Amino acid sequence: MRSPQAAVSTTSEKRDEDVTGGRSFCHIEEKKMKKLPFITKEELEKIAEKYPTPFHIYDEKGIRENAKAVNEAFAWNKGFKEFFAVKANPNPFLIKILQEYGCGCDCSSLTELMEAHALGFSGEDIMFSSNATPDNEFIYANEIGATINLDDFTHIEVLDKLVGIPETISCRFNPGGLFKISNSIMDNPGDAKYGFTKEQIIEGFKILKSKGAKYFGIHAFLASNTVTNDYYPTLARTLFETAVELVRETGVELKFVNLSGGIGIAYTPDQMPNDIKVIGESVHKVYDEIFGPAGLNDVAIYTEMGRFMMGPYGGLVTTAIRQKHTHKEYIGCDACAVNLMRPAMYGAYHHITVMGKENAPCDHKYDVTGSLCENNDKFAIDRMLPEINVGDLLFIHDTGAHGFAMGYNYNGKLKSAEILYHTDGSAQLIRRAETPQDYFATFDFCDVLGDLSGK
Ligand SMILES: *Cc1c(COP(=O)(O)O)cnc(C)c1O
């Protein structure tokens, strides 16, 4: 993951004036911006009878509509392709939906490469954007024909020694300094571990060309979770200008520019979501403006969105199992940070709907917690919500990306099931919940735990 500072989000200018930090979001909801789950209480209760909470549930309809909108937004570019960032949500059932829309996979590790390959993605459909890359991952990526996006100048020699330089190769660019849109600082690439400097990329392209590379790509990821339609166009300007300079200096054939990820979603109800159509049109303008005069009219645009493709179309469903009244009012859930780490890790906001109480007044202030022995295991702090009773189902919004995927097993807690809520209203188990046997399975080489490890 990116550094926590990278989780900067620029709030849209259309921010509701009378909304302030500690204020109830129900207040604005009543006015206009209701953030509601994609599924009803009755349907969730039915699913929870069969698959006990907690679980992540995904909205097939939303995933499909969004994937279609992304393709339409970039339809002006003949070679456009979204390589879904597998790390955001590696569930194969969900990736197969995106595959129907022509998406490829952006992989960052051996297992992600293995999964993409097993799902039938061809080499060209797999981007390998990794850093501090181990030898075996370069070897495997090359074996399955994935496009390798080098993170560093020194990796050229490493790759050359391991497997030789492939025909198609990409390099990741880091311009350094601060990344700004207008006057606001979006992020700090100068402090990020990723990418080549400009000088290194020019020199790198020359070396790669001399070693037989024919088709070149350039990639950059300069800000994370950007909630503004200006991120991609601003990044595109930097990359397109750099690309023109690279082609001029090195004479390589530029095949693609990879805008990578970073397109954010509206986690809070007052944020104005990104408009992918506007983003696509704005990138088009910059493309024509910079590539037109340079005669680069065949360059493909690639993206590697994770959050934007999946984030809003997932929710974590958990049951309120305990109430605690001490110095504060607590609601204890059957889910914890193991199922969704973003609030604990980044202090990230995730909206919560108490199912069936969508229209009730938010007149109770709660900390909504999990059961880890970690005081940061809280899905919400001082959140104004309707009164919560033991047994209520809570829907924690926007967990489709970097949700389940960031899970871990601290305190020996187990990872949950994942459910796909189909367009026809049916629910399909797309990952079973972990069992204690899964947790103990890595001791199956010995008998220290007896039967527990399933040996
Ligand atoms: C994490 C990552 C992405 C996806 O980022 P999102 O913010 O989820 O869109 C894309 N490319 C690379 C190289 C990444 O590391």
Side-chain angles (χ1 to χ4, degrees):
M1 283 303 298
R2 248 139 273 291
S3 61
Q5 305 93 284
V8 179
S9 65
T10 354
T11 314
S12 113
E13 301 94 75
K14 295 206 178 95
R15 194 163 208 273
D16 201 325
E17 241 84 80
D18 57 354
V19 178
T20 51
R23 202 115 161 219
S24 159
F25 278 103
C26 283
H27 169 65
I28 34 168
E29 281 181 4
E30 271 154 28
K31 270 171 40 193
K32 53 182 187 204
M33 291 188 236
K34 216 168 175 106
K35 197 168 169 79
L36 286 173
F38 48 77
I39 186 164
T40 65
K41 176 178 181 239
E42 289 67 34
E43 288 168 305
L44 271 187
E45 280 172 345
K46 229 188 292 161
I47 294 168
E49 272 173 31
K50 194 162 173 197
Y51 308 111
T53 59
F55 54 80
H56 285 266
I57 188 160
Y58 303 101
D59 176 27
E60 181 187 8
K61 184 162 171 277
I63 295 168
R64 288 185 181 278
E65 285 172 358
N66 183 65
K68 193 162 158 274
V70 167
N71 280 338
E72 283 167 6
F74 288 91
W76 55 268
N77 182 261
K78 214 170 84 229
F80 173 76
K81 196 175 184 74
E82 150 70 6
F83 294 80
F84 174 64
V86 173
K87 76 162 192 270
N89 191 326
N91 191 297
F93 290 87
L94 303 179
I95 294 175
K96 277 164 80 81
I97 296 175
L98 296 179
Q99 198 174 25
E100 287 179 40
Y101 295 83
C103 294
C105 286
D106 163 38
C107 300
S108 63
S109 66
L110 179 68
T111 49
E112 290 181 3
L113 287 167
M114 290 169 70
E115 181 179 337
H117 186 60
L119 287 173
F121 288 93
S122 73
E124 293 225 316
D125 295 336
I126 304 173
M127 186 67 59
F128 183 44
S129 292
S130 140
N131 67 92
T133 313
D135 287 356
N136 65 326
E137 299 194 1
F138 273 137
I139 293 168
Y140 185 71
N142 181 68
E143 197 176 301
I144 63 172
T147 300
I148 295 173
N149 179 34
L150 293 172
D151 180 70
D152 187 54
F153 184 77
T154 61
H155 295 187
I156 297 172
E157 197 184 331
V158 173
L159 185 66
D160 192 27
K161 285 208 171 115
L162 285 172
V163 293
I165 299 300
E167 234 185 30
T168 302
I169 192 82
S170 175
C171 293
R172 182 169 184 161
F173 176 49
N174 183 337
L178 292 172
F179 183 74
K180 293 182 192 166
I181 294 182
S182 307
N183 281 322
S184 64
I185 296 170
M186 303 289 293
D187 221 317
N188 186 355
D191 197 36
K193 65 173 175 171
Y194 312 103
F196 295 53
T197 66
K198 167 92 77 63
E199 293 68 34
Q200 288 174 335
I201 220 169
I202 293 173
E203 185 60 23
F205 270 25
K206 287 181 184 163
I207 295 171
L208 288 163
K209 192 179 171 203
S210 75
K211 290 181 182 292
K214 288 205 173 70
Y215 309 106
F216 290 75
I218 154 168
H219 167 284
F221 189 143
L222 303 185
S224 191
N225 191 26
T226 57
V227 189
T228 158
N229 292 331
D230 293 331
Y231 172 63
Y232 263 1
T234 308
L235 170 70
R237 181 171 295 280
T238 300
L239 277 176
F240 295 169
E241 283 169 351
T242 307
V244 169
E245 195 180 329
L246 277 167
V247 169
R248 202 176 49 221
E249 296 262 335
T250 66
V252 303
E253 182 167 343
L254 189 73
K255 187 177 171 197
F256 62 84
V257 172
N258 187 340
L259 300 176
S260 192
I263 299 296
I265 60 172
Y267 285 102
T268 63
D270 64 316
Q271 281 177 308
M272 182 69 80
N274 286 325
D275 185 337
I276 198 67
K277 187 160 180 277
V278 172
I279 292 173
E281 279 166 5
S282 309
V283 173
H284 190 183
K285 272 196 207 115
V286 182
Y287 187 100
D288 286 349
E289 182 192 323
I290 297 171
F291 280 164
L296 295 171
N297 299 305
D298 287 330
V299 179
I301 298 296
Y302 292 169
T303 55
E304 291 175 341
M305 291 181 279
R307 197 185 311 270
F308 189 76
M309 301 306 287
M310 215 49 96
Y313 316 113
L316 173 59
V317 181
T318 178
T319 304
I321 57 168
R322 302 286 180 246
Q323 279 177 332
K324 184 176 164 106
H325 322 281
T326 54
H327 308 289
K328 296 179 94 171
E329 288 296 306
Y330 293 98
I331 297 296
C333 300
D334 60 3
C336 63
V338 160
N339 308 110
L340 176 68
M341 207 191 329
R342 297 186 72 259
M345 187 154 169
Y346 308 118
Y349 180 93
H350 278 264
H351 199 62
I352 296 177
T353 297
V354 184
M355 297 307 295
K357 298 182 178 173
E358 290 80 355
N359 296 311
C362 295
D363 52 5
H364 285 62
K365 193 194 264 187
Y366 292 118
D367 279 17
V368 180
T369 81
S371 53
L372 294 188
C373 306
E374 268 289 356
N375 198 41
N376 66 4
D377 182 21
K378 294 180 176 178
F379 295 117
I381 297 171
D382 296 332
R383 182 81 55 92
M384 294 306 294
L385 289 164
E387 181 173 22
I388 297 175
N389 299 114
V390 166
D392 279 350
L393 284 180
L394 307 186
F395 184 95
I396 305 180
H397 291 250
D398 302 314
T399 69
H402 313 294
F404 182 99
M406 284 175 81
Y408 59 128
N409 283 113
Y410 195 45
N411 281 202
K413 294 283 179 178
L414 304 175
K415 285 182 230 160
S416 78
E418 294 181 288
I419 311 268
L420 180 56
Y421 177 56
H422 285 291
T423 308
D424 67 5
S426 63
Q428 180 191 0
L429 183 72
I430 56 171
R431 189 196 295 262
R432 66 163 172 80
E434 275 183 344
T435 64
Q437 283 69 41
D438 294 319
Y439 182 72
F440 296 123
T442 43
F443 296 103
D444 62 1
F445 67 96
C446 62
D447 49 21
V448 67
L449 289 175
D451 291 344
L452 276 187
S453 57
K455 199 188 170 215

